[in-house]
Amino acid sequence: MQKTLLLLCCCLLFACTPPAVETSGQLADIYQRNSLRVGILHGPTSYYIGVDGPTGFEYELAKALADRLGVELSLAPSFHLDELLDKLETGQVDFIAGGLTLTPSRTERFRAAPPYRWINEVVVYRQGATWPREFADLAGPVVVMKASSHAESLAILQQENADFQYVEDPELDADELLQKVIDGSINYTLTDSNQLAVNRRLFPQLSIAFTLNENLPVGWLLQKSQDDSLYSVLIEYFGHVYQNGDLVTLEDRYFGHVELFDYVDTIKFIQAIDHTLPKFKPWFLEHAGELDWRLLAALSYQESHWNPKARSPTGVRGLMMLTMPTARQMGVDSRLDPQDSIDGGSRYLQLLLTRIPERIPMPDRLWFALASYNIGWGHVEDARRLTQRDGADPDKWLEVKQRLPLLRKKSVYQHTRFGFARGDEAVMYVENIRRYYDTLVGVDERQQLEDRMEQQRQKLVEETNQSEESSALAPPSS
């Protein structure tokens, strides 16, 4: 209820407050230097360098604000929150973005922008160990990042229970602590629910022991100041992105598909990446065209679990589960030939992408194409018409996926152009591919990093050996 009221207040402020034209104070400084300086935390839930450059939930929020103000976005990224807090206090950045929980100590020291997300703090352990259902069941301390919101929560808990023990690690971040739980170096950590959801794609053994705190607000931090110019802009901005649906769309893009977690399915997929994918990876790479080969592989896994002889009751067959008409259209001679199937499936998906209106941006454009691969573009168009009829945006996947399940209802589909469709299955189909793709990207990037480290190690060994050989061959000094 509090969340709804707060966001409603932001919307009302936006409705009666036009974007600032006359500027003063901090906002005037931003316009004068033509840049919005943002301290941002590295991490999968806020900011990282992806295949196409900078990306992340917090990054996109900050970039949209800079674009709205008409200035450049100047990032000060860091792995350490303390470093960013010092920069904020000394005026080196205008605000900090990083999925920061608005704890009492932070809001006492800094000014908080309007909250835009709410998270739970959960105690995490490794699947297979004894499940601790409360703090009395813990077999060892809870390890958290030093000076974090989690450390603050546990300090409060320790005041109430002197027997409770926790450790603040000054070196590791939240993701590294979760990795330590996986490899058994530590028994427990405290993390945010969205951080856990993202990491579970790669490490499904991470399990929730119990929830410590619920519905904690997340927001940006500014300097404490009498200057309200930037703060007023942030109130207007968050009211705007909430009112027009951009905030919900962004949340769905980064977190909507990871909230539903299937432990067994994720384990099987990661095993298949190790044991089955290598047989077909060269063909995914060869025939990806303008697609990311990992997306093509994720689509194939959703279709056939990488079984080249897969067959459905409806007669679709092969790695990419092509229908006979689609195979003929794509010139595929044998649907059971893995390379032919991958080639045909890739070209068919790229053909579907060309049918999506060009005004629809990525990644929504891709989600529509994947749904079309499953149930056909005609049915997706029917759902888009239903979306438009309801006054929602038919170009947003978030809106259309809420109407696709209606295509099962006779009262609805009898009035559509293409009739009945299993729209709910199409939604799950796309969300599964998104999860598989995220997992595959994570595994692939981790493997690339390990390969680079191994290459550097071998290079260092070779240089050391060459140095020793040169020293052995050198004449003795007189």
Side-chain angles (χ1 to χ4, degrees):
M1 182 63 179
Q2 290 178 335
K3 292 187 280 185
T4 304
L5 287 174
L6 180 57
L7 290 170
L8 179 59
C9 288
C10 289
C11 290
L12 291 174
L13 280 167
F14 165 68
C16 62
T17 308
V21 176
E22 296 183 7
T23 59
S24 61
Q26 189 175 9
L27 188 59
D29 293 340
I30 291 170
Y31 278 121
Q32 185 173 4
R33 63 173 177 265
N34 193 37
S35 69
L36 183 67
R37 304 170 307 176
V38 179
I40 195 164
L41 277 174
H42 277 284
T45 59
S46 61
Y47 165 77
Y48 59 96
I49 305 300
V51 176
D52 300 316
T55 188
F57 180 81
E58 300 289 338
Y59 167 78
E60 291 209 32
L61 264 184
K63 182 67 168 63
L65 173 60
D67 291 345
R68 185 168 173 80
L69 293 175
V71 298
E72 297 294 324
L73 177 63
S74 176
L75 292 179
S78 177
F79 291 97
H80 305 288
L81 179 58
D82 284 348
E83 178 184 349
L84 295 181
L85 294 177
D86 289 341
K87 288 184 176 181
L88 182 59
E89 283 194 319
T90 55
Q92 297 177 60
V93 296
D94 298 310
F95 61 84
I96 297 176
L100 303 178
T101 306
L102 301 180
T103 64
S105 67
R106 288 175 180 171
T107 53
E108 182 179 351
R109 182 180 172 190
F110 300 99
R111 191 175 198 176
Y116 53 89
R117 298 197 75 223
W118 280 260
I119 54 91
N120 298 334
E121 286 185 331
V122 293
V123 175
V124 175
Y125 74 109
R126 179 185 169 90
Q127 180 78 26
T130 302
W131 178 10
R133 290 171 168 81
E134 57 184 4
F135 280 106
D137 299 333
L138 296 177
V142 178
V143 184
V144 293
M145 185 170 57
K146 184 177 176 61
S148 62
S149 59
H150 307 129
E152 188 171 336
S153 294
L154 295 180
I156 295 172
L157 183 68
Q158 192 176 58
Q159 292 175 3
E160 302 169 354
N161 185 353
D163 294 332
F164 169 70
Q165 297 296 318
Y166 72 97
V167 173
E168 294 187 54
D169 192 302
E171 301 295 332
L172 302 179
D173 64 21
D175 295 308
E176 291 169 324
L177 287 170
L178 289 170
Q179 178 63 57
K180 290 291 184 181
V181 173
I182 287 296
D183 65 28
S185 301
I186 62 176
N187 290 337
Y188 316 106
T189 189
L190 183 68
T191 195
D192 295 340
S193 50
N194 62 334
Q195 193 102 23
L196 176 62
V198 170
N199 277 275
R200 270 178 153 179
R201 297 174 300 180
L202 290 177
F203 308 114
Q205 301 93 340
L206 293 170
S207 292
I208 298 175
F210 51 88
T211 300
L212 176 60
N213 292 306
E214 294 183 326
N215 293 325
L216 299 178
V218 172
W220 292 345
L221 294 178
L222 299 83
Q223 271 188 331
K224 278 214 165 177
S225 168
Q226 297 299 316
D227 179 2
D228 292 333
S229 58
L230 179 58
Y231 180 71
S232 298
V233 166
L234 293 182
I235 291 177
E236 181 271 326
Y237 171 64
F238 282 108
H240 170 68
V241 295
Y242 175 74
Q243 187 182 56
N244 71 4
D246 285 350
L247 181 60
V248 179
T249 300
L250 194 62
E251 285 185 323
D252 179 73
R253 181 182 304 172
Y254 282 96
F255 307 116
H257 61 294
V258 299
E259 292 177 352
L260 293 176
F261 174 70
D262 187 323
Y263 171 77
V264 174
D265 184 62
T266 306
I267 287 287
K268 286 182 177 179
F269 180 56
I270 292 175
Q271 291 173 343
I273 291 174
D274 292 335
H275 302 301
T276 308
L277 179 59
K279 293 183 289 186
F280 308 116
K281 180 178 176 179
W283 293 326
F284 286 125
L285 284 163
E286 179 180 350
H287 298 294
E290 297 183 359
L291 300 170
D292 185 334
W293 74 267
R294 297 167 298 191
L295 176 78
L296 196 61
L299 166 60
S300 177
Y301 186 82
Q302 169 64 25
E303 287 286 357
S304 66
H305 280 40
W306 294 329
N307 175 9
K309 296 183 179 180
R311 180 173 187 168
S312 80
T314 57
V316 294
R317 303 195 69 178
L319 272 179
M320 305 299 289
M321 295 297 269
L322 301 174
T323 64
M324 186 64 77
T326 299
R328 284 197 296 265
Q329 182 185 5
M330 295 295 106
V332 174
D333 294 327
S334 172
R335 291 182 292 168
L336 299 183
D337 181 280
Q339 185 172 7
D340 282 356
S341 182
I342 291 171
D343 179 30
S346 175
R347 287 188 289 111
Y348 182 56
L349 178 59
Q350 291 178 77
L351 175 64
L352 290 171
L353 275 166
T354 66
R355 295 178 180 174
I356 312 299
E358 292 184 0
R359 67 177 179 274
I360 300 178
M362 288 291 197
D364 292 56
R365 185 183 183 87
L366 181 57
W367 309 151
F368 283 129
L370 290 173
S372 301
Y373 195 103
N374 179 244
I375 60 172
W377 174 241
H379 292 301
V380 175
E381 277 279 68
D382 280 343
R384 293 181 68 241
R385 293 187 190 95
L386 293 174
T387 304
Q388 190 170 35
R389 181 201 64 184
D390 291 345
D393 190 343
D395 292 347
K396 288 185 177 179
W397 170 249
L398 174 64
E399 300 289 354
V400 176
K401 76 175 185 179
Q402 297 175 42
R403 277 81 180 178
L404 273 166
L406 298 177
L407 298 179
R408 271 187 176 273
K409 296 184 176 181
K410 185 177 181 180
S411 59
V412 175
Y413 71 70
Q414 65 180 344
H415 301 295
T416 62
R417 186 173 300 177
F418 290 90
F420 171 85
R422 295 181 176 86
D424 53 338
E425 294 181 9
V427 172
M428 186 58 67
Y429 176 90
V430 174
E431 305 300 80
N432 284 345
I433 293 172
R434 292 173 65 183
R435 283 193 292 272
Y436 293 143
Y437 173 66
D438 285 353
T439 299
L440 187 50
V441 167
V443 171
D444 183 53
E445 291 179 348
R446 187 175 60 183
Q447 184 60 55
Q448 291 181 37
L449 177 61
E450 291 174 355
D451 291 344
R452 287 195 296 269
M453 293 176 64
E454 178 60 23
Q455 290 172 1
Q456 292 173 356
R457 187 193 69 80
Q458 291 180 358
K459 183 178 179 181
L460 182 61
V461 169
E462 291 173 0
E463 291 174 349
T464 302
N465 291 339
Q466 291 174 359
S467 177
E468 291 175 349
E469 290 174 2
S470 299
S471 298
L473 294 174
S477 58
S478 56

